[in-house]
Amino acid sequence: QMQRQMQQMQEMMNRMNGLMERNQNMNRDMNQRMQQAQNEQMRNQYQMMHRFSEQMGMTLGNMKNAAERCELMLKDQEMMRDRQMQQDMQRMRRHLSDLTNEMDESLKTMERMVKRMRERQSQQ
């Protein structure tokens, strides 16, 4: 069971890495579009989205750090001897997994928003 939990932790951290990469790519794109924007309103909108995306990236980084700490606790055999501790750690891993799913949904929403902004920009 512990090995399965460790496998799930690794998969979640890999997923977080993917989310962080998507967020960084979106950030680079918005930064470039912000600089190329023809009017100030569009520039400001890209800047707001860019800053928001930066905050999302920091949140993802913090989540990944928390997942790494969680993994270290899971590896601590002394801690995991206690049945109650094992159950609490399973809950923590599930919570982190739920947060990862929420961040994925948030990132998808931001990607849709940026796509709409690009479409609007190309119509101007």
Side-chain angles (χ1 to χ4, degrees):
Q1 185 183 356
M2 285 304 296
Q3 195 168 2
R4 195 185 83 224
Q5 279 191 8
M6 295 301 293
Q7 173 79 27
Q8 290 170 334
M9 283 299 297
Q10 193 57 52
E11 289 170 5
M12 180 176 30
M13 284 195 281
N14 289 341
R15 190 161 175 227
M16 284 181 190
N17 284 337
L19 292 174
M20 290 170 78
E21 188 175 327
R22 276 173 49 206
N23 190 65
Q24 288 171 345
N25 290 339
M26 184 172 52
N27 240 348
R28 271 193 296 275
D29 180 60
M30 279 190 287
N31 191 38
Q32 185 178 14
R33 289 178 183 283
M34 182 174 60
Q35 293 173 13
Q36 293 173 349
Q38 297 299 315
N39 66 53
E40 191 171 342
Q41 181 183 16
M42 202 78 201
R43 214 175 358 263
N44 289 340
Q45 290 170 351
Y46 274 119
Q47 185 177 42
M48 284 188 289
M49 284 293 292
H50 182 263
R51 287 186 176 151
F52 184 74
S53 181
E54 285 178 328
Q55 294 301 313
M56 292 281 286
M58 286 189 256
T59 301
L60 280 164
N62 287 331
M63 284 174 53
K64 184 161 184 248
N65 289 340
E68 288 168 350
R69 301 295 169 251
C70 188
E71 184 180 43
L72 287 174
M73 289 188 288
L74 283 169
K75 287 180 179 177
D76 188 315
Q77 292 177 353
E78 184 64 34
M79 283 179 84
M80 292 301 108
R81 279 197 188 118
D82 181 340
R83 183 78 182 127
Q84 206 63 42
M85 183 68 84
Q86 285 179 21
Q87 291 173 344
D88 285 339
M89 288 304 296
Q90 281 181 317
R91 279 187 204 94
M92 290 305 297
R93 189 191 48 71
R94 276 196 306 271
H95 291 313
L96 281 169
S97 181
D98 291 345
L99 286 170
T100 303
N101 290 336
E102 290 294 325
M103 287 299 285
D104 188 19
E105 287 303 313
S106 296
L107 199 52
K108 286 176 184 172
T109 301
M110 287 180 61
E111 288 166 341
R112 284 193 306 270
M113 291 167 70
V114 171
K115 182 181 177 200
R116 280 196 300 277
M117 287 176 66
R118 280 194 306 252
E119 289 167 357
R120 243 186 35 232
Q121 187 179 25
S122 67
Q123 291 171 358
Q124 288 182 351

